Amino acid sequence: MEKIRERQAIDMDSRALLMGAQPDGSVPGISALMGILRALRLGLTSGELIDQLRGLEDLKSAIASVQARAAVAFELAQCREQASAGIPVAEQGQGAGVQIALARRESPSRGSRFLGLGKTLVKEMPRTMAALESGQLNEWRATLLVKETACLSLEDRRAVDEELAPDAGTFDGVGDKAIIAAAKAAAYRRDPRTVAQRARHAATERTVSLRPAPDAMTYLTALIPVAQGVAVYAALTRKADSVRSSGESRNRGQIMADTLVERVTGRRGGISGVDLEVIMTDRTLLRGDSEPARLKGYGIVPAEWARALVGAGGAAVDEARETGLPATGGNPAPTQDPDFTVWLRRLYTAPSTGELITMDSKARIFPPRLRRFIEVRDDTCRTPYCDAPIRHIDHVVPWHAGGTTTVTNGAGLCEACNHTKENPGWAARRLPDDVHTLEISTPTGHSYRSSAPPLPGHGRSVKVPDFEAGAGQENLDPADQFIDS
């Protein structure tokens, strides 16, 4: 019993430290809390471990509430500092969400959403905030309540917050869907006209997105009005039922997926008039090596899958073996589909480090070489923790500050991050490292580093001397093949 009480006391002390309730009245540091958590001993029985899991979950919620308050306070501090610097009111606070995201080690969009969550909880939904502080709601469930009341006025939102009373335990034992339903119903009762307007506005936000799935698969998601979505699904279902009735061996889901691809692209194979950029080593392409490849816009894919995509094998491999050289850039490689053209472009990398040095320029069908080079090297947005697709290629050191339009002074960024770095107080510079490395500085003086991702076949553990400019191809390793299909 003494051990159980001791562990419970540690849990209580941790909560007290987190919420700032020290016996002497002083404000504890984060390191003190971390020390207590590291010293926490796990329970010996199943019951004790479950109690600790419950207590730690409450701690996570309490930490989220403190983070939310800190985020709101940070934005206010930024506005005060920027006002003192003479920045216009309309521009004050810009970039605060990105700095919060960097501190939380997440993408800029997530940081901005968290800032919005904090402002709503602190200023408009005190009972939901109290439920988060006490552990009756976690961060995700608090976000659901904030999201479903976003269309309401301040007065109505506070009324819904009071009606639902999350801090009174009204959502104990309730699932996420029930929470969403309760919030929607309460919002509609308060302001049905605004809720209806919100539904009409939602149609303007229709879009299509793509995100990776395991095993060289992907999720293609369409956000469209419900009537259109039901109609599309019904059409695919009818097609699948019709094909299945004729004795087709594919299952229903496979037929629906294949039909969707065929109707959108106009070809059963699904690839028509688009570039699929696959990066792999020459060993993977021609020697059957197992080193994974990288598909632009997706990520890592198995070597065998990449070879199958480009039709590697047969004549392509035989020709390479006879000549002892990989296929030259700009020459179409043989493929199993006569309508499926494959182009090979050599990428030269520094030995051991994998730093991308240069590439062939024989293929004339590509966009400007410099932009293509940076897109291949950076793969996704170079802001730390942001993995959004590259939309802008811009200078690390701005042109107006003397920056040059070169590979080393270029970086691929998403649109939002490229605009953010133009705000006062932001700066970036390239660090002298084995691979292209940026250091991004925020208005608070904090710095974050970002290195170009390794290309297939290379790691980051071996250090070699820096390459000298113009050293010649004897110092280059044509280990990576850039394949456009």
Side-chain angles (χ1 to χ4, degrees):
M1 289 298 295
E2 292 181 0
K3 290 183 178 180
I4 295 176
R5 292 193 187 97
E6 181 181 353
R7 294 188 186 98
Q8 290 176 342
I10 292 176
D11 290 340
M12 293 297 293
D13 289 344
S14 300
R15 282 291 297 271
L17 271 176
L18 179 65
M19 304 308 294
Q22 286 206 125
D24 60 1
S26 61
V27 178
I30 299 298
S31 59
L33 174 60
M34 294 294 292
I36 289 180
L37 291 176
R38 283 193 292 266
L40 179 65
R41 291 174 293 176
L42 294 180
L44 301 177
T45 67
S46 298
E48 292 176 6
L49 290 168
I50 287 295
D51 289 340
Q52 285 185 329
L53 287 171
R54 175 66 264 167
L56 291 170
E57 190 65 25
D58 291 345
L59 268 178
K60 285 166 60 180
S61 297
I63 290 172
S65 70
V66 176
Q67 270 195 323
R69 293 185 186 279
V72 176
F74 171 74
E75 186 189 42
L76 291 174
Q78 284 280 283
C79 289
R80 288 194 300 267
E81 293 168 6
Q82 292 170 358
S84 300
I87 296 176
V89 175
E91 300 178 9
Q92 292 175 14
Q94 292 183 357
V98 180
Q99 295 183 71
I100 291 170
L102 290 169
R104 281 167 55 94
R105 297 181 180 176
E106 60 187 13
S107 68
S109 61
R110 287 180 177 269
S112 297
R113 285 199 296 268
F114 183 77
L115 175 58
L117 170 68
K119 292 164 69 174
T120 302
L121 292 176
V122 171
K123 300 177 181 179
E124 302 178 13
M125 302 182 72
R127 300 202 68 166
T128 302
M129 176 58 123
L132 182 63
E133 291 175 339
S134 64
Q136 292 174 302
L137 289 179
N138 58 25
E139 183 179 325
W140 170 243
R141 292 188 158 201
T143 302
L144 294 178
L145 291 172
V146 169
K147 179 181 178 182
E148 296 302 330
T149 58
C151 61
L152 300 178
S153 65
L154 175 59
E155 180 181 358
D156 286 337
R157 200 173 208 176
R158 286 177 174 171
V160 170
D161 183 55
E162 185 67 28
E163 176 185 339
L164 298 180
D167 59 328
T170 53
F171 293 127
D172 287 348
V174 176
D176 290 351
K177 290 184 178 179
I179 291 178
I180 293 173
K184 282 183 175 180
Y188 188 78
R189 285 193 297 268
R190 288 285 170 182
D191 191 352
R193 179 178 297 180
T194 300
V195 173
Q197 290 175 347
R198 179 185 177 187
R200 287 193 295 269
H201 174 73
T204 66
E205 299 179 342
R206 57 191 181 276
T207 185
V208 177
S209 60
L210 188 73
R211 58 192 177 92
D215 304 321
M217 301 290 282
T218 188
Y219 296 105
L220 176 65
T221 305
L223 179 64
I224 55 180
V226 61
Q228 297 176 10
V230 171
V232 169
Y233 189 80
L236 294 175
T237 301
R238 286 195 300 269
K239 176 65 174 179
D241 291 341
S242 175
V243 173
R244 287 282 291 171
S245 65
S246 64
E248 173 65 45
S249 60
R250 291 174 295 168
N251 63 38
R252 196 162 178 265
Q254 291 171 340
I255 297 173
M256 293 174 69
D258 294 344
T259 301
L260 175 64
V261 171
E262 182 177 354
R263 291 185 177 180
V264 171
T265 64
R267 290 189 61 199
R268 185 168 185 176
I271 301 175
S272 177
V274 296
D275 292 336
L276 297 178
E277 299 178 1
V278 184
I279 306 169
M280 68 177 80
T281 66
D282 55 349
R283 300 180 299 277
T284 294
L285 176 65
L286 302 172
R287 303 178 188 174
D289 193 79
S290 60
E291 176 67 32
R294 190 175 81 194
L295 177 63
K296 184 178 178 181
Y298 176 83
I300 299 301
V301 295
E304 184 176 354
W305 183 93
R307 284 192 294 269
L309 176 68
V310 301
V317 175
D318 292 341
E319 179 183 356
R321 286 174 177 170
E322 290 175 4
T323 61
L325 296 172
T328 58
N331 294 329
T335 180
Q336 298 171 348
D337 187 344
D339 297 327
F340 188 26
T341 303
V342 178
W343 295 79
L344 276 71
R345 173 179 293 199
R346 286 176 294 198
L347 302 180
Y348 293 94
T349 60
S352 302
T353 67
E355 168 76 336
L356 191 59
I357 303 298
T358 188
M359 69 182 179
D360 277 345
S361 60
K362 296 179 181 179
R364 301 298 184 186
I365 64 174
F366 304 130
R369 293 172 53 202
L370 189 59
R371 180 182 181 90
R372 176 65 63 91
F373 185 93
I374 295 174
E375 286 178 341
V376 170
R377 182 196 66 199
D378 293 351
D379 192 37
T380 58
C381 178
R382 285 295 298 278
T383 298
Y385 313 114
C386 181
D387 53 5
I390 292 175
R391 293 287 181 259
H392 293 176
I393 303 295
D394 205 354
H395 300 82
V396 177
V397 178
W399 176 267
H400 60 76
T404 56
T405 305
T406 60
V407 168
T408 56
N409 194 47
L413 300 169
C414 69
E415 184 175 357
C417 289
N418 192 36
H419 292 323
T420 296
K421 74 180 184 62
E422 298 299 326
N423 290 325
W426 290 80
R429 66 187 182 101
R430 182 179 182 245
L431 299 179
D433 205 341
D434 293 333
V435 295
H436 192 267
T437 302
L438 303 182
E439 184 178 73
I440 298 174
S441 301
T442 66
T444 60
H446 292 81
S447 297
Y448 305 87
R449 294 188 179 186
S450 167
S451 296
L455 291 172
H458 292 279
R460 289 287 190 251
S461 58
V462 180
K463 296 290 184 179
V464 298
D466 291 339
F467 272 76
E468 296 180 0
Q473 288 195 359
E474 67 274 9
N475 290 330
L476 302 178
D477 175 18
D480 292 287
Q481 298 294 323
F482 183 51
I483 303 173
D484 283 358
S485 54

PDB file of all heavy atoms in Angstrom, residues 120-149:
ATOM      1  N   THR A 120      -9.833  29.956 -29.293  1.00  0.00           N
ATOM      2  CA  THR A 120     -11.253  29.667 -29.066  1.00  0.00           C
ATOM      3  C   THR A 120     -11.500  29.166 -27.656  1.00  0.00           C
ATOM      4  O   THR A 120     -12.445  29.593 -26.976  1.00  0.00           O
ATOM      5  CB  THR A 120     -11.745  28.633 -30.088  1.00  0.00           C
ATOM      6  OG1 THR A 120     -11.540  29.133 -31.409  1.00  0.00           O
ATOM      7  CG2 THR A 120     -13.230  28.341 -29.889  1.00  0.00           C
ATOM      8  N   LEU A 121     -10.660  28.257 -27.194  1.00  0.00           N
ATOM      9  CA  LEU A 121     -10.850  27.702 -25.854  1.00  0.00           C
ATOM     10  C   LEU A 121     -10.659  28.771 -24.777  1.00  0.00           C
ATOM     11  O   LEU A 121     -11.418  28.832 -23.807  1.00  0.00           O
ATOM     12  CB  LEU A 121      -9.874  26.543 -25.625  1.00  0.00           C
ATOM     13  CG  LEU A 121     -10.112  25.280 -26.462  1.00  0.00           C
ATOM     14  CD1 LEU A 121      -9.011  24.259 -26.194  1.00  0.00           C
ATOM     15  CD2 LEU A 121     -11.476  24.674 -26.154  1.00  0.00           C
ATOM     16  N   VAL A 122      -9.646  29.593 -24.927  1.00  0.00           N
ATOM     17  CA  VAL A 122      -9.331  30.593 -23.913  1.00  0.00           C
ATOM     18  C   VAL A 122     -10.370  31.708 -23.886  1.00  0.00           C
ATOM     19  O   VAL A 122     -10.805  32.159 -22.816  1.00  0.00           O
ATOM     20  CB  VAL A 122      -7.923  31.171 -24.145  1.00  0.00           C
ATOM     21  CG1 VAL A 122      -7.674  32.369 -23.238  1.00  0.00           C
ATOM     22  CG2 VAL A 122      -6.864  30.095 -23.895  1.00  0.00           C
ATOM     23  N   LYS A 123     -10.822  32.146 -25.057  1.00  0.00           N
ATOM     24  CA  LYS A 123     -11.656  33.333 -25.130  1.00  0.00           C
ATOM     25  C   LYS A 123     -13.153  33.053 -25.251  1.00  0.00           C
ATOM     26  O   LYS A 123     -13.970  33.898 -24.909  1.00  0.00           O
ATOM     27  CB  LYS A 123     -11.217  34.197 -26.312  1.00  0.00           C
ATOM     28  CG  LYS A 123      -9.771  34.666 -26.233  1.00  0.00           C
ATOM     29  CD  LYS A 123      -9.383  35.455 -27.477  1.00  0.00           C
ATOM     30  CE  LYS A 123      -7.929  35.914 -27.414  1.00  0.00           C
ATOM     31  NZ  LYS A 123      -7.541  36.674 -28.638  1.00  0.00           N
ATOM     32  N   GLU A 124     -13.519  31.871 -25.768  1.00  0.00           N
ATOM     33  CA  GLU A 124     -14.924  31.671 -26.117  1.00  0.00           C
ATOM     34  C   GLU A 124     -15.570  30.431 -25.501  1.00  0.00           C
ATOM     35  O   GLU A 124     -16.801  30.395 -25.387  1.00  0.00           O
ATOM     36  CB  GLU A 124     -15.055  31.602 -27.648  1.00  0.00           C
ATOM     37  CG  GLU A 124     -14.535  32.841 -28.356  1.00  0.00           C
ATOM     38  CD  GLU A 124     -14.638  32.725 -29.871  1.00  0.00           C
ATOM     39  OE1 GLU A 124     -15.339  31.801 -30.343  1.00  0.00           O
ATOM     40  OE2 GLU A 124     -14.028  33.545 -30.572  1.00  0.00           O
ATOM     41  N   MET A 125     -14.804  29.427 -25.141  1.00  0.00           N
ATOM     42  CA  MET A 125     -15.392  28.176 -24.651  1.00  0.00           C
ATOM     43  C   MET A 125     -14.716  27.752 -23.344  1.00  0.00           C
ATOM     44  O   MET A 125     -13.963  26.775 -23.300  1.00  0.00           O
ATOM     45  CB  MET A 125     -15.278  27.076 -25.718  1.00  0.00           C
ATOM     46  CG  MET A 125     -15.934  27.433 -27.048  1.00  0.00           C
ATOM     47  SD  MET A 125     -15.864  26.116 -28.290  1.00  0.00           S
ATOM     48  CE  MET A 125     -17.042  24.931 -27.616  1.00  0.00           C
ATOM     49  N   PRO A 126     -15.003  28.473 -22.254  1.00  0.00           N
ATOM     50  CA  PRO A 126     -14.310  28.193 -20.993  1.00  0.00           C
ATOM     51  C   PRO A 126     -14.621  26.818 -20.398  1.00  0.00           C
ATOM     52  O   PRO A 126     -13.749  26.221 -19.760  1.00  0.00           O
ATOM     53  CB  PRO A 126     -14.795  29.317 -20.069  1.00  0.00           C
ATOM     54  CG  PRO A 126     -16.087  29.768 -20.663  1.00  0.00           C
ATOM     55  CD  PRO A 126     -15.929  29.613 -22.140  1.00  0.00           C
ATOM     56  N   ARG A 127     -15.829  26.311 -20.598  1.00  0.00           N
ATOM     57  CA  ARG A 127     -16.162  25.011 -20.003  1.00  0.00           C
ATOM     58  C   ARG A 127     -15.476  23.862 -20.756  1.00  0.00           C
ATOM     59  O   ARG A 127     -15.084  22.867 -20.151  1.00  0.00           O
ATOM     60  CB  ARG A 127     -17.676  24.819 -19.978  1.00  0.00           C
ATOM     61  CG  ARG A 127     -18.404  25.888 -19.157  1.00  0.00           C
ATOM     62  CD  ARG A 127     -19.765  25.448 -18.691  1.00  0.00           C
ATOM     63  NE  ARG A 127     -19.699  24.373 -17.704  1.00  0.00           N
ATOM     64  CZ  ARG A 127     -20.742  24.006 -16.952  1.00  0.00           C
ATOM     65  NH1 ARG A 127     -21.907  24.623 -17.066  1.00  0.00           N
ATOM     66  NH2 ARG A 127     -20.616  23.015 -16.092  1.00  0.00           N
ATOM     67  N   THR A 128     -15.327  24.022 -22.056  1.00  0.00           N
ATOM     68  CA  THR A 128     -14.563  23.030 -22.810  1.00  0.00           C
ATOM     69  C   THR A 128     -13.098  23.074 -22.392  1.00  0.00           C
ATOM     70  O   THR A 128     -12.442  22.032 -22.264  1.00  0.00           O
ATOM     71  CB  THR A 128     -14.695  23.286 -24.320  1.00  0.00           C
ATOM     72  OG1 THR A 128     -16.077  23.236 -24.683  1.00  0.00           O
ATOM     73  CG2 THR A 128     -13.933  22.259 -25.124  1.00  0.00           C
ATOM     74  N   MET A 129     -12.587  24.284 -22.157  1.00  0.00           N
ATOM     75  CA  MET A 129     -11.208  24.422 -21.677  1.00  0.00           C
ATOM     76  C   MET A 129     -11.047  23.781 -20.310  1.00  0.00           C
ATOM     77  O   MET A 129     -10.052  23.086 -20.046  1.00  0.00           O
ATOM     78  CB  MET A 129     -10.819  25.896 -21.636  1.00  0.00           C
ATOM     79  CG  MET A 129      -9.422  26.159 -21.060  1.00  0.00           C
ATOM     80  SD  MET A 129      -8.128  25.304 -21.979  1.00  0.00           S
ATOM     81  CE  MET A 129      -7.098  26.668 -22.451  1.00  0.00           C
ATOM     82  N   ALA A 130     -12.011  23.969 -19.437  1.00  0.00           N
ATOM     83  CA  ALA A 130     -11.945  23.358 -18.106  1.00  0.00           C
ATOM     84  C   ALA A 130     -11.958  21.839 -18.207  1.00  0.00           C
ATOM     85  O   ALA A 130     -11.260  21.145 -17.445  1.00  0.00           O
ATOM     86  CB  ALA A 130     -13.110  23.847 -17.247  1.00  0.00           C
ATOM     87  N   ALA A 131     -12.740  21.302 -19.154  1.00  0.00           N
ATOM     88  CA  ALA A 131     -12.766  19.851 -19.338  1.00  0.00           C
ATOM     89  C   ALA A 131     -11.430  19.338 -19.841  1.00  0.00           C
ATOM     90  O   ALA A 131     -10.981  18.247 -19.465  1.00  0.00           O
ATOM     91  CB  ALA A 131     -13.881  19.484 -20.313  1.00  0.00           C
ATOM     92  N   LEU A 132     -10.762  20.121 -20.690  1.00  0.00           N
ATOM     93  CA  LEU A 132      -9.431  19.738 -21.164  1.00  0.00           C
ATOM     94  C   LEU A 132      -8.430  19.783 -20.025  1.00  0.00           C
ATOM     95  O   LEU A 132      -7.591  18.874 -19.874  1.00  0.00           O
ATOM     96  CB  LEU A 132      -9.005  20.682 -22.293  1.00  0.00           C
ATOM     97  CG  LEU A 132      -7.655  20.409 -22.963  1.00  0.00           C
ATOM     98  CD1 LEU A 132      -7.658  19.057 -23.656  1.00  0.00           C
ATOM     99  CD2 LEU A 132      -7.307  21.517 -23.954  1.00  0.00           C
ATOM    100  N   GLU A 133      -8.495  20.797 -19.195  1.00  0.00           N
ATOM    101  CA  GLU A 133      -7.568  20.919 -18.067  1.00  0.00           C
ATOM    102  C   GLU A 133      -7.715  19.762 -17.079  1.00  0.00           C
ATOM    103  O   GLU A 133      -6.736  19.295 -16.503  1.00  0.00           O
ATOM    104  CB  GLU A 133      -7.798  22.246 -17.357  1.00  0.00           C
ATOM    105  CG  GLU A 133      -7.374  23.470 -18.157  1.00  0.00           C
ATOM    106  CD  GLU A 133      -7.739  24.762 -17.456  1.00  0.00           C
ATOM    107  OE1 GLU A 133      -8.643  24.726 -16.588  1.00  0.00           O
ATOM    108  OE2 GLU A 133      -7.125  25.804 -17.763  1.00  0.00           O
ATOM    109  N   SER A 134      -8.953  19.309 -16.895  1.00  0.00           N
ATOM    110  CA  SER A 134      -9.209  18.246 -15.905  1.00  0.00           C
ATOM    111  C   SER A 134      -9.049  16.848 -16.475  1.00  0.00           C
ATOM    112  O   SER A 134      -9.128  15.864 -15.738  1.00  0.00           O
ATOM    113  CB  SER A 134     -10.622  18.400 -15.342  1.00  0.00           C
ATOM    114  OG  SER A 134     -11.588  18.218 -16.367  1.00  0.00           O
ATOM    115  N   GLY A 135      -8.857  16.740 -17.782  1.00  0.00           N
ATOM    116  CA  GLY A 135      -8.690  15.431 -18.386  1.00  0.00           C
ATOM    117  C   GLY A 135      -9.982  14.782 -18.826  1.00  0.00           C
ATOM    118  O   GLY A 135      -9.975  13.636 -19.283  1.00  0.00           O
ATOM    119  N   GLN A 136     -11.110  15.496 -18.719  1.00  0.00           N
ATOM    120  CA  GLN A 136     -12.384  14.922 -19.163  1.00  0.00           C
ATOM    121  C   GLN A 136     -12.511  14.937 -20.681  1.00  0.00           C
ATOM    122  O   GLN A 136     -13.325  14.203 -21.240  1.00  0.00           O
ATOM    123  CB  GLN A 136     -13.547  15.697 -18.527  1.00  0.00           C
ATOM    124  CG  GLN A 136     -13.646  15.491 -17.019  1.00  0.00           C
ATOM    125  CD  GLN A 136     -14.700  16.384 -16.386  1.00  0.00           C
ATOM    126  OE1 GLN A 136     -14.633  17.609 -16.496  1.00  0.00           O
ATOM    127  NE2 GLN A 136     -15.664  15.779 -15.733  1.00  0.00           N
ATOM    128  N   LEU A 137     -11.740  15.776 -21.341  1.00  0.00           N
ATOM    129  CA  LEU A 137     -11.620  15.787 -22.796  1.00  0.00           C
ATOM    130  C   LEU A 137     -10.149  15.790 -23.164  1.00  0.00           C
ATOM    131  O   LEU A 137      -9.339  16.394 -22.453  1.00  0.00           O
ATOM    132  CB  LEU A 137     -12.275  17.039 -23.398  1.00  0.00           C
ATOM    133  CG  LEU A 137     -13.793  17.169 -23.393  1.00  0.00           C
ATOM    134  CD1 LEU A 137     -14.187  18.504 -24.009  1.00  0.00           C
ATOM    135  CD2 LEU A 137     -14.460  16.036 -24.151  1.00  0.00           C
ATOM    136  N   ASN A 138      -9.808  15.106 -24.243  1.00  0.00           N
ATOM    137  CA  ASN A 138      -8.439  15.239 -24.746  1.00  0.00           C
ATOM    138  C   ASN A 138      -8.393  16.310 -25.835  1.00  0.00           C
ATOM    139  O   ASN A 138      -9.423  16.896 -26.199  1.00  0.00           O
ATOM    140  CB  ASN A 138      -7.910  13.898 -25.256  1.00  0.00           C
ATOM    141  CG  ASN A 138      -8.781  13.303 -26.361  1.00  0.00           C
ATOM    142  OD1 ASN A 138      -9.488  14.011 -27.073  1.00  0.00           O
ATOM    143  ND2 ASN A 138      -8.722  11.985 -26.503  1.00  0.00           N
ATOM    144  N   GLU A 139      -7.209  16.571 -26.363  1.00  0.00           N
ATOM    145  CA  GLU A 139      -7.045  17.648 -27.331  1.00  0.00           C
ATOM    146  C   GLU A 139      -7.898  17.420 -28.578  1.00  0.00           C
ATOM    147  O   GLU A 139      -8.498  18.356 -29.113  1.00  0.00           O
ATOM    148  CB  GLU A 139      -5.569  17.778 -27.716  1.00  0.00           C
ATOM    149  CG  GLU A 139      -5.272  18.928 -28.667  1.00  0.00           C
ATOM    150  CD  GLU A 139      -3.794  19.033 -29.005  1.00  0.00           C
ATOM    151  OE1 GLU A 139      -2.954  18.747 -28.123  1.00  0.00           O
ATOM    152  OE2 GLU A 139      -3.478  19.400 -30.151  1.00  0.00           O
ATOM    153  N   TRP A 140      -7.987  16.188 -29.042  1.00  0.00           N
ATOM    154  CA  TRP A 140      -8.746  15.892 -30.256  1.00  0.00           C
ATOM    155  C   TRP A 140     -10.232  16.169 -30.042  1.00  0.00           C
ATOM    156  O   TRP A 140     -10.899  16.767 -30.900  1.00  0.00           O
ATOM    157  CB  TRP A 140      -8.524  14.451 -30.683  1.00  0.00           C
ATOM    158  CG  TRP A 140      -9.435  13.990 -31.774  1.00  0.00           C
ATOM    159  CD1 TRP A 140     -10.371  13.006 -31.716  1.00  0.00           C
ATOM    160  CD2 TRP A 140      -9.493  14.504 -33.116  1.00  0.00           C
ATOM    161  NE1 TRP A 140     -11.021  12.870 -32.910  1.00  0.00           N
ATOM    162  CE2 TRP A 140     -10.502  13.781 -33.799  1.00  0.00           C
ATOM    163  CE3 TRP A 140      -8.807  15.505 -33.807  1.00  0.00           C
ATOM    164  CZ2 TRP A 140     -10.832  14.025 -35.128  1.00  0.00           C
ATOM    165  CZ3 TRP A 140      -9.143  15.754 -35.129  1.00  0.00           C
ATOM    166  CH2 TRP A 140     -10.136  15.024 -35.775  1.00  0.00           C
ATOM    167  N   ARG A 141     -10.772  15.731 -28.909  1.00  0.00           N
ATOM    168  CA  ARG A 141     -12.206  15.920 -28.673  1.00  0.00           C
ATOM    169  C   ARG A 141     -12.546  17.389 -28.440  1.00  0.00           C
ATOM    170  O   ARG A 141     -13.614  17.854 -28.853  1.00  0.00           O
ATOM    171  CB  ARG A 141     -12.651  15.071 -27.481  1.00  0.00           C
ATOM    172  CG  ARG A 141     -12.593  13.578 -27.785  1.00  0.00           C
ATOM    173  CD  ARG A 141     -13.211  12.733 -26.693  1.00  0.00           C
ATOM    174  NE  ARG A 141     -13.592  11.440 -27.217  1.00  0.00           N
ATOM    175  CZ  ARG A 141     -14.475  10.641 -26.661  1.00  0.00           C
ATOM    176  NH1 ARG A 141     -15.095  11.026 -25.542  1.00  0.00           N
ATOM    177  NH2 ARG A 141     -14.775   9.481 -27.193  1.00  0.00           N
ATOM    178  N   ALA A 142     -11.647  18.115 -27.819  1.00  0.00           N
ATOM    179  CA  ALA A 142     -11.861  19.552 -27.688  1.00  0.00           C
ATOM    180  C   ALA A 142     -11.855  20.216 -29.067  1.00  0.00           C
ATOM    181  O   ALA A 142     -12.635  21.131 -29.341  1.00  0.00           O
ATOM    182  CB  ALA A 142     -10.785  20.163 -26.800  1.00  0.00           C
ATOM    183  N   THR A 143     -10.991  19.728 -29.959  1.00  0.00           N
ATOM    184  CA  THR A 143     -10.937  20.254 -31.317  1.00  0.00           C
ATOM    185  C   THR A 143     -12.246  20.005 -32.050  1.00  0.00           C
ATOM    186  O   THR A 143     -12.721  20.865 -32.812  1.00  0.00           O
ATOM    187  CB  THR A 143      -9.772  19.615 -32.088  1.00  0.00           C
ATOM    188  OG1 THR A 143      -8.545  19.868 -31.399  1.00  0.00           O
ATOM    189  CG2 THR A 143      -9.676  20.168 -33.497  1.00  0.00           C
ATOM    190  N   LEU A 144     -12.853  18.842 -31.846  1.00  0.00           N
ATOM    191  CA  LEU A 144     -14.135  18.542 -32.480  1.00  0.00           C
ATOM    192  C   LEU A 144     -15.209  19.534 -32.058  1.00  0.00           C
ATOM    193  O   LEU A 144     -15.994  20.014 -32.892  1.00  0.00           O
ATOM    194  CB  LEU A 144     -14.573  17.108 -32.130  1.00  0.00           C
ATOM    195  CG  LEU A 144     -13.712  15.964 -32.670  1.00  0.00           C
ATOM    196  CD1 LEU A 144     -14.252  14.624 -32.189  1.00  0.00           C
ATOM    197  CD2 LEU A 144     -13.650  15.996 -34.193  1.00  0.00           C
ATOM    198  N   LEU A 145     -15.258  19.850 -30.779  1.00  0.00           N
ATOM    199  CA  LEU A 145     -16.259  20.803 -30.295  1.00  0.00           C
ATOM    200  C   LEU A 145     -16.013  22.198 -30.862  1.00  0.00           C
ATOM    201  O   LEU A 145     -16.955  22.910 -31.229  1.00  0.00           O
ATOM    202  CB  LEU A 145     -16.243  20.837 -28.768  1.00  0.00           C
ATOM    203  CG  LEU A 145     -16.763  19.570 -28.077  1.00  0.00           C
ATOM    204  CD1 LEU A 145     -16.522  19.640 -26.574  1.00  0.00           C
ATOM    205  CD2 LEU A 145     -18.248  19.385 -28.345  1.00  0.00           C
ATOM    206  N   VAL A 146     -14.764  22.586 -30.938  1.00  0.00           N
ATOM    207  CA  VAL A 146     -14.438  23.892 -31.513  1.00  0.00           C
ATOM    208  C   VAL A 146     -14.808  23.934 -32.991  1.00  0.00           C
ATOM    209  O   VAL A 146     -15.387  24.917 -33.481  1.00  0.00           O
ATOM    210  CB  VAL A 146     -12.936  24.196 -31.320  1.00  0.00           C
ATOM    211  CG1 VAL A 146     -12.512  25.406 -32.138  1.00  0.00           C
ATOM    212  CG2 VAL A 146     -12.635  24.430 -29.848  1.00  0.00           C
ATOM    213  N   LYS A 147     -14.506  22.871 -33.704  1.00  0.00           N
ATOM    214  CA  LYS A 147     -14.776  22.826 -35.143  1.00  0.00           C
ATOM    215  C   LYS A 147     -16.268  22.911 -35.440  1.00  0.00           C
ATOM    216  O   LYS A 147     -16.690  23.624 -36.364  1.00  0.00           O
ATOM    217  CB  LYS A 147     -14.194  21.535 -35.721  1.00  0.00           C
ATOM    218  CG  LYS A 147     -14.429  21.354 -37.205  1.00  0.00           C
ATOM    219  CD  LYS A 147     -13.842  20.036 -37.684  1.00  0.00           C
ATOM    220  CE  LYS A 147     -14.127  19.820 -39.168  1.00  0.00           C
ATOM    221  NZ  LYS A 147     -13.584  18.509 -39.634  1.00  0.00           N
ATOM    222  N   GLU A 148     -17.082  22.183 -34.675  1.00  0.00           N
ATOM    223  CA  GLU A 148     -18.511  22.134 -34.968  1.00  0.00           C
ATOM    224  C   GLU A 148     -19.259  23.386 -34.534  1.00  0.00           C
ATOM    225  O   GLU A 148     -20.429  23.543 -34.878  1.00  0.00           O
ATOM    226  CB  GLU A 148     -19.130  20.896 -34.300  1.00  0.00           C
ATOM    227  CG  GLU A 148     -18.607  19.575 -34.829  1.00  0.00           C
ATOM    228  CD  GLU A 148     -18.815  19.420 -36.332  1.00  0.00           C
ATOM    229  OE1 GLU A 148     -19.796  19.990 -36.853  1.00  0.00           O
ATOM    230  OE2 GLU A 148     -17.993  18.753 -36.974  1.00  0.00           O
ATOM    231  N   THR A 149     -18.630  24.278 -33.810  1.00  0.00           N
ATOM    232  CA  THR A 149     -19.272  25.533 -33.404  1.00  0.00           C
ATOM    233  C   THR A 149     -18.620  26.740 -34.069  1.00  0.00           C
ATOM    234  O   THR A 149     -18.889  27.882 -33.689  1.00  0.00           O
ATOM    235  CB  THR A 149     -19.207  25.694 -31.879  1.00  0.00           C
ATOM    236  OG1 THR A 149     -17.826  25.669 -31.459  1.00  0.00           O
ATOM    237  CG2 THR A 149     -19.960  24.579 -31.170  1.00  0.00           C
TER     238      THR A 149
END
